[in-house]
Amino acid sequence: MEITLESPLDMHLHLRDGDMLKLVAPLSADFAGAVIMPNLVPPVTDPGAMVAYGERIATAMGDSPFTRYMTLFFTKQSEQQLTLAKETPGFFGYKLYPAGITTNSEGGVANLAEAESTLKMMEEMGIPLLIHGESHGFVMDREAEFLGVYKHLAQQFPKLKICMEHITTAAALDLMEEFENLCATVTLQHLIITLDDVAGGALQPHLFCKPIAKRPHDRDALLQAAVSGHPRLMFGSDSAPHPRCKKEACGCAAGVFTAPLALPKLAEIFARHHALDNLQGFVSGNACRIHGLTPAAKHVTLHDTPMNVPTSYRSYGQQVVPMYAGEQISWSIKH
Ligand code: DOR
Ligand code: ZN
């Protein structure tokens, strides 16, 4: 069995910077493009820094055509700042992090009410808003507690395109159904694992991410929505590399590194659910339609020939451990 995907997109990707960028960028090169997260240190807050970062990504990617959809780290903006961002080539949207909610998000939004004038202008200017939707509550309830914020924003700004990033719950899917201006990304790991896989036995640091994996019922609802071709659900890996020493450590950093195996594993999952016909929409079609994207032309053929996932990827003095390290998955990319 095989399937050829046209211009697959990763709608939520962390590429980092420096030596880590050099190591991980080529591992996303089977995608035609990606939405690039801005949570560097310091975060990418101005268009000049964004363009420079985009150029470093292009260099690290090598020759493969790859469309960079760059995001800026959301803070309160003036109309002039929004206009400048919108006119900057490669700009895709703003990523809003509640302050301190995850890796390098300390400069995020502490008081959403103060940001509403910016959101109003973004709505008028047609600039998408991507949100890391978690409260500061009990870790398993953080996404559920944030749903009220999504609802408020969806009602308050009915023309603002709001992307609920990396949703992990059935309740988030239900909310998306209610409002046409909501769409969502979902990661590979949240289609597969639950909290049991992270912490039910020996602790698995390489499966620890924010938002944390939830209950079987949530995982099953996300999987069902993805394989059944939900038109507003898009693949966003949230592939988030951290050096091995930061993962296998006290104070383990949050993030699952999935970029190199995401497409084969998605094909495996969709094939298992007799839903390969819906994979194109999930990894590209929905995003292109929702956001009006025309990514680099790229064809990727996947086939049901096993892939041995490396125990780690290392170069430039960096080492990262992927999901399924040292294991075999049953689909691979046909080169
Ligand atoms: O697990 C995560 N890692 N969640 C995020 O929201 C950020 C990401 C990172 O940058 O490492
Ligand atoms: Zn992320």
Side-chain angles (χ1 to χ4, degrees):
M1 236 189 312
E2 66 175 52
I3 180 173
T4 297
L5 296 174
E6 230 176 277
S7 299
L9 293 172
D10 183 343
M11 295 301 287
H12 183 133
L13 178 63
H14 297 270
L15 285 175
R16 315 301 191 204
D17 211 343
D19 287 335
M20 184 59 94
L21 169 63
K22 289 182 194 156
L23 168 60
V24 300
L27 300 173
S28 281
D30 289 312
F31 287 91
V35 173
I36 310 297
M37 290 299 127
N39 61 331
L40 305 182
V41 185
V44 184
T45 49
D46 78 275
M50 184 190 83
V51 169
Y53 182 39
E55 284 166 4
R56 295 196 295 281
I57 292 170
T59 304
M61 269 293 163
D63 294 334
S64 190
F66 187 85
T67 309
R68 305 176 304 275
Y69 297 103
M70 303 301 293
T71 60
L72 286 169
F73 190 96
F74 181 94
T75 56
K76 197 170 182 221
Q77 301 286 292
S78 67
E79 187 176 353
Q80 206 181 8
Q81 286 173 308
L82 291 177
T83 304
L84 179 62
K86 199 178 172 196
E87 287 171 354
T88 303
F91 172 69
F92 176 76
Y94 280 89
K95 173 73 187 284
L96 189 156
Y97 292 92
I101 202 67
T102 188
T103 313
N104 306 335
S105 63
E106 293 71 21
V109 173
N111 179 354
L112 198 63
E114 287 174 10
E116 295 209 349
S117 56
T118 306
L119 300 183
K120 182 83 203 139
M121 290 187 282
M122 285 172 61
E123 179 184 36
E124 284 160 8
M125 295 166 81
I127 299 175
L129 176 68
L130 287 55
I131 304 184
H132 182 120
E134 289 196 284
S135 73
H136 288 280
F138 177 65
V139 69
M140 286 294 279
D141 295 337
R142 286 177 189 176
E143 184 173 288
E145 288 176 0
F146 197 87
L147 294 180
V149 178
Y150 279 129
K151 185 170 182 170
H152 166 75
L153 295 177
Q155 285 173 329
Q156 191 79 9
F157 307 104
K159 296 247 151 45
L160 180 63
K161 209 175 280 174
I162 302 169
C163 188
M164 309 160 79
E165 293 294 310
H166 44 53
I167 58 169
T168 60
T169 57
L173 282 169
D174 291 343
L175 183 74
M176 179 168 65
E177 294 296 336
E178 275 184 55
F179 296 95
E180 283 195 359
N181 54 333
L182 293 178
C183 57
T185 59
V186 64
T187 73
L188 177 69
Q189 67 266 21
H190 292 115
L191 298 177
I192 300 172
I193 65 170
T194 69
L195 184 61
D196 255 6
D197 297 290
V198 185
L203 192 65
Q204 299 300 318
H206 298 292
L207 297 180
F208 171 61
C209 64
K210 302 279 183 69
I212 194 108
K214 302 293 189 307
R215 295 172 174 79
H217 150 79
D218 293 305
R219 185 264 323 269
D220 296 349
L222 294 165
L223 180 60
Q224 192 49 41
V227 298
S228 67
H230 192 295
R232 275 185 277 138
L233 193 59
M234 300 170 279
F235 178 61
S237 71
D238 198 12
S239 180
H242 290 276
R244 180 175 187 172
C245 59
K246 293 268 169 61
K247 291 291 289 177
E248 297 175 5
C250 229
C252 166
V256 181
F257 181 58
T258 54
L261 57 125
L263 288 172
K265 192 69 192 177
L266 285 173
E268 180 189 311
I269 292 170
F270 276 64
R272 195 185 331 124
H273 288 83
H274 309 288
L276 275 178
D277 287 350
N278 288 333
L279 187 54
Q280 177 68 41
F282 182 60
V283 298
S284 187
N286 292 347
C288 290
R289 192 190 63 253
I290 291 168
H291 293 292
L293 309 179
T294 48
K298 194 178 274 184
H299 296 277
V300 181
T301 299
L302 298 145
H303 57 170
D304 56 353
T305 297
M307 164 184 181
N308 294 313
V309 180
T311 51
S312 72
Y313 292 85
R314 45 198 316 177
S315 56
Y316 305 102
Q318 298 287 323
Q319 184 179 19
V320 285
V321 177
M323 191 179 183
Y324 295 111
E327 294 179 42
Q328 194 174 71
I329 60 178
S330 54
W331 280 62
S332 57
I333 292 179
K334 191 173 174 183
H335 284 292

